[in-house]
Amino acid sequence: MNNTKRMIFESAIKIFSKNGYNGATMDAIAADAGVAKGTLYYHFKSKEEIFKYIVEEGMKLLTQKIDFDSKKEKNALDKIKILCKAQWGLVYENRDFIKVVMSQLWGQEIRQLELREYIKSYITYTQNYLEQCMQEGSIKKCDSFFLAYTLFGTICSVAVYELLNQDKKNLDDMIENLMNHILDGIKKGE
């Protein structure tokens, strides 16, 4: 990503977070990025194109971080912990933007349909990590696609919990607690 696109990327996230998708304007994004409106239009034809770009780049940055951080791990379950930590960190650090993304999941406009495809692609990415755990024997075999959706939703819910309750726990502690609940379940031990 070149410097101008990075400035637009960061400004667009800020403007979408502050104003929501419908309230965000190309003028506001250009002003926040400190670029001329013509420069903005040189890189992006529309607000929808910017939204698509920041979702696409955000997903790419997330998966690159997970892949890089998990390379040093041999245990597939530790890789899942890294995935959870990276996803939770993304949601936590960009919570306003995540609210905008979540609000765009439900409609039938092109950006909303494309957004669902990006989420589905990330779910498939997560599924691969879960299948490694199943092959390794660290988790029981089940419908890995459904489990990937469950894990995705759980991590998003943990971030909402933290946001609503202002629970400023250490990220590693939150992930450990999450993993314990997921792996041990909620059933009372005998």
Side-chain angles (χ1 to χ4, degrees), residues 136-178:
E136 181 181 273
S138 52
I139 63 173
K140 67 181 180 181
K141 293 189 183 226
C142 64
D143 181 346
S144 59
F145 194 58
F146 178 76
L147 184 58
Y149 269 101
T150 302
L151 185 61
F152 175 79
T154 302
I155 295 167
C156 290
S157 295
V158 168
V160 170
Y161 164 83
E162 187 280 331
L163 176 66
L164 295 177
N165 293 293
Q166 300 298 311
D167 197 355
K168 300 291 182 201
K169 291 183 179 173
N170 177 296
L171 178 58
D172 290 328
D173 291 342
M174 290 289 284
I175 295 304
E176 195 61 36
N177 193 16
L178 170 66

Side-chain angles (χ1 to χ4, degrees), residues 43-66:
H43 291 285
F44 301 99
K45 292 178 179 64
S46 66
K47 180 171 70 170
E48 273 200 28
E49 194 174 301
I50 293 175
F51 184 78
K52 178 181 176 178
Y53 177 76
I54 59 179
V55 168
E56 188 176 272
E57 283 300 306
M59 291 301 224
K60 188 186 315 176
L61 292 171
L62 174 62
T63 56
Q64 286 173 349
K65 177 174 180 36
I66 293 166

Side-chain angles (χ1 to χ4, degrees), residues 66-75 78-79 82:
I66 293 166
D67 288 343
F68 179 80
D69 290 351
S70 67
K71 277 184 184 176
K72 60 187 172 220
E73 299 297 334
K74 302 273 188 250
N75 179 322
D78 288 336
K79 291 179 181 186
I82 287 169

Side-chain angles (χ1 to χ4, degrees), residues 111-124:
R111 77 176 169 283
Q112 294 160 329
L113 298 171
E114 290 174 341
L115 177 58
R116 286 197 290 274
E117 286 302 314
Y118 284 116
I119 298 294
K120 188 175 179 181
S121 175
Y122 179 72
I123 298 300
T124 301

Side-chain angles (χ1 to χ4, degrees), residues 102-116:
M102 298 303 272
S103 74
Q104 294 300 305
L105 279 173
W106 311 116
Q108 293 299 314
E109 295 181 37
I110 291 173
R111 77 176 169 283
Q112 294 160 329
L113 298 171
E114 290 174 341
L115 177 58
R116 286 197 290 274

